[in-house]
Amino acid sequence: QQQVKQSPQSLIVQKGGISIINCAYENTAFDYFPWYQQFPGKGPALLIAIRPDVSEKKEGRFTISFNKSAKQFSLHIMDSQPGDSATYFCAASIGGGADGLTFGKGTHLIIQP
Amino acid sequence: NAGVTQTPKFRILKIGQSMTLQCTQDMNHNYMYWYRQDPGMGLKLIYYSVGAGITDKGEVPNGYNVSRSTTEDFPLRLELAAPSQTSVYFCASSYLGTSISYEQYFGPGTRLTVT
């Protein structure tokens, strides 16, 4: 049972464009929704996270939009740069991840110069 | 701070062999986790620990064992390695308590091949 569904699987965006990655979850007990960025050969690193009491969180060029009623959340990367090329994972958890994170399958993002 | 360190970086095992993947964190985190990452499948939780002496199963624990005798170390043991355990293994840690940050810090991973 896949509790967090992520799309698209891969994404190509031109430099300066907006990259959008979507996730949907099933478990309404989830209360923490992070996005992780992973470069080849490295471990994932936290990019930005949101809790369900807000509908949007912005950090620099990265924004999470959260729709609690639809059980969906998305990552927007504004002014995408070649250095943003990486794999992005959405995740969800209960209690801040105390018993681990449930990850989506990932999105391989390529920013073309 | 070194953060989360994992050894070895790479390992090739024959079917039926055993090995221990090492994980150490120097951030005084109370929670530690083991995930495996398979191509196109995201990360799946194997085991986690809420503190020294306390461990619990995650989504995919079969074929693995863990122990946590200290706050810093959280080794993952593979007994009777099988080809299905070919994967990249990540250790992570976090501090859950009075802090408002739930961030999990990941190590660089161990790439394991079982043939």
Side-chain angles (χ1 to χ4, degrees):
Chain A
Q1 180 186 2
Q2 186 187 355
Q3 294 199 57
V4 179
K5 294 184 179 180
Q6 184 172 347
S7 63
Q9 192 171 8
S10 60
L11 181 62
I12 299 174
V13 175
Q14 296 296 315
K15 179 182 175 182
I18 303 173
S19 304
I20 303 174
I21 305 170
N22 301 298
C23 283
Y25 63 96
E26 299 166 8
N27 188 344
T28 55
F30 286 146
D31 61 3
Y32 174 66
F33 303 88
W35 284 89
Y36 278 80
Q37 180 188 55
Q38 185 181 32
F39 293 105
K42 304 293 185 183
L46 180 66
L47 187 63
I48 188 173
I50 197 168
R51 297 179 204 182
D53 53 344
V54 297
S55 60
E56 185 175 283
K57 184 175 181 180
K58 184 176 182 179
E59 290 184 0
R61 295 185 295 109
F62 301 92
T63 300
I64 300 179
S65 297
F66 185 82
N67 186 329
K68 188 173 181 178
S69 61
K71 294 187 287 185
Q72 295 175 345
F73 59 110
S74 60
L75 175 69
H76 296 234
I77 305 175
M78 311 300 287
D79 188 25
S80 299
Q81 299 297 311
D84 297 330
S85 298
T87 300
Y88 293 80
F89 294 96
C90 62
S93 71
I94 301 169
D99 56 354
L101 295 169
T102 298
F103 283 89
K105 292 188 176 182
T107 296
H108 183 50
L109 175 64
I110 297 173
I111 307 301
Q112 289 188 332
Chain B
N1 285 350
V4 180
T5 57
Q6 294 183 237
T7 56
K9 286 185 167 48
F10 304 94
R11 182 73 185 268
I12 298 175
L13 277 182
K14 294 189 183 302
I15 295 171
Q17 287 185 322
S18 300
M19 75 165 294
T20 299
L21 281 68
Q22 302 292 344
C23 175
T24 300
Q25 55 90 11
D26 63 359
M27 297 174 282
N28 201 30
H29 284 170
N30 47 359
Y31 282 71
M32 296 187 74
Y33 313 84
W34 275 105
Y35 295 89
R36 60 176 286 172
Q37 183 178 25
D38 300 307
M41 295 301 293
L43 288 85
K44 293 187 184 295
L45 183 68
I46 304 171
Y47 270 96
Y48 66 101
S49 169
V50 305
I54 306 170
T55 63
D56 208 345
K57 296 178 180 179
E59 182 182 357
V60 290
N62 290 346
Y64 307 95
N65 277 301
V66 293
S67 60
R68 190 152 177 221
S69 56
T70 67
T71 299
E72 297 79 17
D73 300 306
F74 190 39
L76 177 71
R77 178 81 177 165
L78 278 72
E79 305 281 4
L80 298 175
S84 61
Q85 294 178 305
T86 294
S87 188
V88 181
Y89 291 84
F90 289 100
C91 179
S93 71
S94 67
Y95 182 79
L96 296 180
T98 56
S99 168
I100 60 173
S101 173
Y102 297 154
E103 180 173 359
Q104 289 190 14
Y105 294 80
F106 283 78
T110 294
R111 184 176 293 275
L112 175 68
T113 301
V114 182
T115 61

